[in-house]
Amino acid sequence: MDISEIISIDTDRSRFKVHRSGYVNPDLFAAERDAIFNKSWLYVGHESEIATAGDFVTRRVAGRGLVLARDSQGAVRCFHNV
């Protein structure tokens, strides 16, 4: 599928439209993951979710399993869940 079939930009009318298929297209998701999520910081969670040493939460962000944890010294850490 060509990207022009999914995204429509009308600068004269200040309109940007995304066809609903763009939200579930695996090729578009892979391209976004490479262009955006592989090159920037990601929000995984808030430190209040892991208030005590040893607390942790697991999340999936951009298809990756992550562990957000507070270590024994109280520092916040984030790891790939492998």
Side-chain angles (χ1 to χ4, degrees), residues 16-33:
F16 177 84
K17 296 180 182 180
V18 178
H19 189 272
R20 67 181 70 176
S21 66
Y23 294 102
V24 295
N25 184 303
D27 295 330
L28 184 58
F29 177 68
E32 285 182 339
R33 186 176 54 224

Side-chain angles (χ1 to χ4, degrees), residues 7-73:
I7 297 174
S8 169
I9 302 172
D10 183 348
T11 54
D12 294 334
R13 296 171 71 187
S14 299
R15 291 192 179 168
F16 177 84
K17 296 180 182 180
V18 178
H19 189 272
R20 67 181 70 176
S21 66
Y23 294 102
V24 295
N25 184 303
D27 295 330
L28 184 58
F29 177 68
E32 285 182 339
R33 186 176 54 224
D34 292 342
I36 299 169
F37 295 107
N38 286 346
K39 298 178 181 175
S40 63
W41 288 90
L42 302 174
Y43 180 81
V44 176
H46 193 269
E47 65 177 15
S48 64
E49 296 177 81
I50 51 171
T52 308
D55 286 353
F56 70 94
V57 295
T58 60
R59 301 278 157 74
R60 291 200 66 76
V61 178
R64 293 185 182 99
L66 301 171
V67 178
L68 181 66
R70 188 171 297 274
D71 70 16
S72 62
Q73 304 300 312

Side-chain angles (χ1 to χ4, degrees), residues 1-9 17 19:
M1 178 177 282
D2 185 11
I3 195 74
S4 64
E5 297 175 29
I6 298 173
I7 297 174
S8 169
I9 302 172
K17 296 180 182 180
H19 189 272

